[in-house]
Amino acid sequence: MDFLMSGLAACGACLFTNPLEVVKTRMQLQGELQAPGTYQRHYRNVFHAFITIGRVDGLAALQKGLAPALLYQFLMNGIRLGTYGLAEAGGYLHTAEGTLSPPRSAAAGALAGVMGAYLGSPIYMVKTHLQAQAASEIAVGHQYKHQGMFQALSEIGQKHGLVGLWRGALGGLPRVIIGSSTQLCTFSSTKDLITQWEILPPQSWKVALAAAMVSGIAVVLAMTPFDVVSTRLYNQPTDSQGKGLMYRGMLDALRQTARTEGIFGMYKDPPGDSAMSHVSYLSSLRGLTEAAGPAHSSSSGPPIGQPRGRRLPHRAASSPCTWACCSRSSTIRLWSVTRWQKTS
């Protein structure tokens, strides 16, 4: 059930974050392997990209690739958050003294992320193709002419087989490994440190908010270069055998991007996706703690040094809802899983 609820909650959040994904994809492809100042910038910043896409492609274009995005979120987060939540609830991430082990947490987050990302790789590739499709006057990157998710999967499968469907999967795994391990590890570690040092009341919603903010910053800094490369690997044109024509792999893509576009070319992913969703915790977590009652909002807590497993007796402390908080989505994911936890 943890896998199912994590996936469904992620889908709910995806409805609101998909426009940001469309903007992110196009900004990452803009000026691909071109020196700064030598190409026309159709999207000057996040807000300008929203306006431009809505004006030229229409408002519906901001939800391009929604179907594969929903399916990918269900597969990816259902496996990732569900697996990590089960490992945390089973005590596999804690030492014999009951404290969280950052290496175990990072390893579990990376493994869970890899499982979800690899299985969902064909869906993510099609999502990237659809989100990059634009009118010729604002088009960036290679333009595929897919009519929809199923048509795209069928066409790629018929032309290039299973190998073509999983093209770019290995290049995308470092993105997920670094992102998942950084996200889940920093959120857990920061939350524990804040509680142990008594910076904030142990059961306060402010603890999760602060930990989520730290986690969001860490994820953006660590994952963005690999996210840019992953988008370009998936979207590059291919030959008749399904082999990429621009990059030989992740390392080659990193090398070419850094050499041609410089360090700023590695950070063409606007941080709005992570930043906006983490700021949304302020209202969502307050609502959740008020709805949960005294058990969730009490400011009293155990003495410093008490094992983490005993400090948070209620179920929400060790469930996928916690990890959904620190990922890049919104209030819906938090609300969905938490409501299920309260009624189960």
Side-chain angles (χ1 to χ4, degrees):
M1 186 61 73
D2 281 352
F3 293 86
L4 176 62
M5 295 309 299
S6 297
L8 290 176
C11 288
C14 183
L15 293 172
F16 297 93
T17 60
N18 191 62
L20 287 165
E21 279 289 311
V22 174
V23 169
K24 183 199 73 170
T25 297
R26 297 194 184 185
M27 293 190 72
Q28 287 176 341
L29 294 173
Q30 181 171 241
E32 184 175 12
L33 297 186
Q34 299 180 62
T38 63
Y39 59 89
Q40 182 180 359
R41 293 181 61 191
H42 300 297
Y43 314 107
R44 293 195 294 269
N45 52 56
V46 178
F47 302 104
H48 180 259
F50 269 106
I51 296 173
T52 301
I53 294 172
R55 177 174 53 83
V56 179
D57 285 341
L59 292 178
L62 291 170
Q63 286 290 9
K64 277 193 173 183
L66 181 60
L70 289 172
L71 182 55
Y72 177 78
Q73 287 297 325
F74 183 83
L75 292 174
M76 169 67 175
N77 286 290
I79 295 173
R80 181 173 71 114
L81 302 180
T83 302
Y84 189 90
L86 291 176
E88 204 272 349
Y92 298 108
L93 309 184
H94 295 81
T95 63
E97 293 75 22
T99 57
L100 181 73
S101 171
R104 294 184 187 181
S105 179
L111 180 60
V114 165
M115 292 172 56
Y118 190 79
L119 291 175
S121 182
I123 308 300
Y124 192 90
M125 178 174 64
V126 170
K127 178 186 79 73
T128 302
H129 292 176
L130 292 174
Q131 291 177 339
Q133 289 180 189
S136 57
E137 57 264 39
I138 59 170
V140 292
H142 182 71
Q143 294 291 295
Y144 287 90
K145 302 299 181 182
H146 300 316
Q147 301 301 313
M149 178 179 66
F150 294 110
Q151 179 270 333
L153 290 171
S154 176
E155 180 180 341
I156 296 172
Q158 290 177 2
K159 286 185 177 180
H160 309 303
L162 289 176
V163 175
L165 287 172
W166 264 268
R167 176 177 61 84
L170 294 179
L173 291 185
R175 162 188 173 270
V176 179
I177 292 174
I178 293 173
S180 293
S181 58
T182 301
Q183 178 187 71
L184 299 175
C185 180
T186 54
F187 181 82
S188 300
S189 301
T190 304
K191 194 166 178 285
D192 271 5
L193 288 175
I194 292 173
T195 303
Q196 291 172 9
W197 293 347
E198 294 186 333
I199 299 175
L200 296 169
Q203 302 299 327
S204 172
W205 57 271
K206 296 178 183 178
V207 176
L209 174 65
M213 290 295 183
V214 173
S215 174
I217 294 172
V219 168
V220 169
L221 293 176
M223 192 182 74
T224 296
F226 299 94
D227 193 37
V228 172
V229 166
S230 177
T231 298
R232 295 182 174 188
L233 284 172
Y234 279 125
N235 194 67
Q236 67 175 322
T238 61
D239 59 18
S240 59
Q241 304 300 318
K243 184 178 180 180
L245 296 176
M246 297 178 67
Y247 311 106
R248 293 190 299 271
M250 182 200 67
L251 293 179
D252 181 56
L254 283 170
R255 179 184 60 82
Q256 289 195 57
T257 301
R259 184 183 63 185
T260 308
E261 303 173 50
I263 186 63
F264 292 108
M266 308 294 291
Y267 283 88
K268 284 188 174 179
D269 173 2
D273 194 2
S274 295
M276 290 178 66
S277 58
H278 281 80
V279 169
S280 73
Y281 295 148
L282 183 60
S283 58
S284 58
L285 286 175
R286 181 187 297 274
L288 290 176
T289 51
E290 289 175 354
H296 290 256
S297 58
S298 173
S299 60
S300 61
I304 300 177
Q306 182 172 338
R308 184 177 187 271
R310 300 188 186 97
R311 183 189 310 129
L312 302 177
H314 53 82
R315 184 175 181 183
S318 60
S319 69
C321 179
T322 303
W323 318 121
C325 287
C326 64
S327 66
R328 61 168 180 77
S329 38
S330 64
T331 305
I332 298 298
R333 186 183 300 185
L334 282 164
W335 183 86
S336 304
V337 180
T338 303
R339 294 304 298 177
W340 166 74
Q341 289 168 346
K342 289 176 63 182
T343 58
S344 60

